[in-house]
Amino acid sequence: MSSLFAERILLDAGWANDVRVDIDDGVITDITVGAPPGDAPRAAGPVVPGMPNLHGHAFQRAMAGLAEHRRSDDDSFWTWRETMYRLVERLEPEDMAAIAAQLDVELLRGGFTATAEFHYLHHQRDGTPYADATTTSTAVIEAARRVGIRTTHLPVAYERGGFDGAPLGDGQRRFWADAALIGELHEALRQRFSAEPTVRIGLALHSLRAVTPATLRVAAATVTDAPIHIHAAEQTLEVGDCVAATGQRPVEWLLEHGGLAPHWCVVHATHLTEAEVHGLAGSGAVAGLCPTTEANLGDGLFPLLDYLEADGRYGVGTDSHVGRRAAAELRWLEYGQRLLHRRRNLVVATGRASVGGSLWDAAARGGAQALGQPIGRLALGRRADLVVLDDDHVALAGLDGDGLLDAWLFGGADDLVRDVMVEGRWVVRDRHHAQEDVIERDYRRVIAALRSA
């Protein structure tokens, strides 16, 4: 049993002062508002729920900033993939672990307390299987456990090169996985990590272009009580190819044939019709938005205001990890809508004027749903995952309540995370992770070897 006293804390019912939070085995067991601190350690600043990161590919941290040289007059996601494939050809499991550990430390320091790893590097560099099919998944999960970040691991089905059934290209040979392999990976990982409260196992389908309808149906039937994620409608070319192959747009097809439900997360969903917006919102699935990566790739802008009007649920992820701070993802989510609609202060919850408060609350709850973990809120029975802001930072001077979140997201200072707790344990203290030096050293060694190759 441990306790924490916060002078200011964002609870389910809103901001509260002088609150004692009791924690037992990582779970919040009691919350007392207006309590004396007693012997409870005092938080060094305002406390907010930790942000779940609902989408990412850890290995891509190693290529952040390396695909910014113009290659043609029509650079796009499809040309960006070539840089990614060259990285994939060089990675060993120990490299993936070192990259993931560095990423996880950075995510914690950026206010993320949990990740969803959309993992499709299943095989050896030449495409042949490992003796243990879970080798690469285990490397990434163990990196998260070492760093102390919560994770939902999603082994990905990926079996074809396009809607026409083309075989996977050389750069994709490590990705192959059909419904049988994904079921095997899901079950093996679930058993291996069943005793770990910070690890959840789900599954993912890369996209409708990369899996057959039969695989989608079998995989979805395999998992009915764990998260299922899928990329959809990220690029207009993908939408056009889907219409040509199936007569329907990707999200339209998923709504009719995919069984979308609250345990699903549809990642990106950038290009939607009005009917798709309302259908996705009505399904209870989470829209997984990755504003920094979507901007980096030139994908487009999600119709967020229409989606919120339809009571849609959303969360944010860092995807390719060109950005690794929760505040930046939420800032760009709002700024994208401002640019699209040419108005300000757009993403606000009913009865709440603060954009920062509205974004943080909705994304934390939506991210928790997408990860299938009891996080995203500071409430009884929830896991004790939280972020402490730096009360001494000039950016927060004279502010209180949602004004703190507005200043963090939109005030120009990204370095406001002071301490981070996951599962009731401090993993970042005074901006530092206990293992950051050795983790960074290992990362630098891996990067040096990759770039020299």
Side-chain angles (χ1 to χ4, degrees), residues 43-110:
V47 177
V48 298
M51 182 61 63
N53 184 334
L54 57 60
H55 185 69
H57 317 283
F59 77 92
Q60 290 181 13
R61 169 64 184 92
M63 61 174 284
L66 298 186
E68 309 308 317
H69 287 72
R70 185 168 179 171
R71 300 178 55 181
S72 69
D73 289 338
D74 59 349
D75 262 3
S76 67
F77 164 82
W78 306 99
T79 54
W80 170 90
R81 290 199 309 175
E82 298 306 315
T83 302
M84 186 262 285
Y85 291 157
R86 289 197 295 274
L87 172 63
V88 164
E89 291 172 352
R90 293 171 169 83
L91 292 173
E92 298 289 355
E94 56 269 26
D95 301 329
M96 298 179 205
I99 294 165
Q102 175 67 23
L103 169 67
D104 291 342
V105 169
E106 294 171 343
L107 292 177
L108 287 171
R109 292 193 303 216

Side-chain angles (χ1 to χ4, degrees), residues 358-388:
S358 299
L359 286 165
W360 195 269
D361 183 63
R365 291 171 185 254
Q369 178 180 323
L371 268 65
Q373 301 212 39
I375 54 177
R377 299 155 51 199
L378 298 179
L380 295 181
R382 296 275 161 169
R383 312 307 290 196
D385 294 7
L386 55 86
V387 171
V388 180

Side-chain angles (χ1 to χ4, degrees), residues 271-292:
H271 303 286
L272 303 182
T273 64
E274 182 179 355
E276 288 174 307
V277 166
H278 285 268
L280 181 58
S283 74
V286 176
L289 310 178
C290 305
T292 303

Side-chain angles (χ1 to χ4, degrees), residues 353-419:
S354 163
V355 178
S358 299
L359 286 165
W360 195 269
D361 183 63
R365 291 171 185 254
Q369 178 180 323
L371 268 65
Q373 301 212 39
I375 54 177
R377 299 155 51 199
L378 298 179
L380 295 181
R382 296 275 161 169
R383 312 307 290 196
D385 294 7
L386 55 86
V387 171
V388 180
L389 301 181
D390 185 353
D391 217 13
D392 294 327
H393 199 293
V394 67
L396 301 183
L399 296 173
D400 213 345
D402 279 349
L404 296 163
L405 290 168
D406 289 334
W408 184 17
L409 270 59
F410 301 105
D414 277 333
D415 58 337
L416 297 182
V417 174
R418 187 187 188 281
D419 304 315

